[in-house]
Amino acid sequence: GQNIDQPTEMTATEGAIVQINCTYQTSGFNGLFWYQQHAGEAPTFLSYNVLDGLEEKGRFSSFLSRSKGYSYLLLKELQMKDSASYLCAVMDSNYQLIWGAGTKLIIKP
Amino acid sequence: ETGVTQTPRHLVMGMTNKKSLKCEQHLGHNAMYWYKQSAKKPLELMFVYNFKEQTENNSVPSRFSPECPNSSHLFLHLHTLQPEDSALYLCASSQRAGDSSYEQYFGPGTRLTVT
C-alpha cells in the first residue's frame, strides 16, 4: 500500500529552527508537496520538490531524497504565526496526491 | 471574491436529510477536487473533475454525489449520511489534473456534523 509518515506533533521555541520530516512509500513518484494549514483554515501551498536537493524559499526550505523516500521541511527564525499543521503529500504514478496525516507544530514564546 | 470559496462553512444535518455543499473557484482553473478531512487522518481524495469530466471516484459511498456544471463550480450532494461522515469537506482546484507542476488551491472547507 501507499504510505506517508510524519510526526504527529512537534514543539519549538520562537526564533529557533525546526525540521519536520516526511517519509514515503508510494507507487511511483511525480513530486512532493508541503502545505501549511492553520486551525480552521484552508491548506496553503508551501513548496514542491521533484529533484533531489534543497529548495529555499525565504524562512522555509524543503529537502528531498528520492532514493531514501525522504523529505523534510525546515523552518527558520520561527514566529508565533508559524503555529499550524504541516502536510506532506506525494504525487504517485497516477498523478494522485497521497497525503500524510500532518504534523501539528506548536510554537512557544 | 477571490480564490476558492465554499458554502456553507458549517452544516448540521440529520441522517435522513438531503443537503448540498457548494464550491466556487475564481482562478480560471480546469480541475476541481473534493476531499474529506477527519481529525488526525490524512486527507482523503473523494472526487476529481478535469475539464468538467469526472476522472476519479475513490470508492466513495453513493450517499455522496458530486456535480460539476462548469469548470468554476462544484457541488457535493449529500443524502442519508452516517455519523462517521462528520468531517471537514475541502474543495480544491488546480490548473489541470494529472500534472504535478500545478499545485492545488483549497477552499476553507465545510464543517459537517451528522446527528
Side-chain angles (χ1 to χ4, degrees), chain A residues 33 50 56 58 61 78 103 107:
Chain A
F33 295 78
V50 66
E56 296 187 73
S61 302
L78 286 170
T103 298
I107 309 297

Side-chain angles (χ1 to χ4, degrees), chain A residues 33-61:
Chain A
F33 295 78
W34 283 97
Y35 281 78
Q36 179 190 60
Q37 186 177 24
H38 285 100
E41 297 184 12
T44 54
F45 170 76
L46 287 178
S47 67
Y48 170 68
N49 293 70
V50 66
L51 299 176
D52 289 351
L54 187 69
E55 295 276 345
E56 296 187 73
K57 204 184 278 188
R59 293 190 298 114
F60 292 10
S61 302

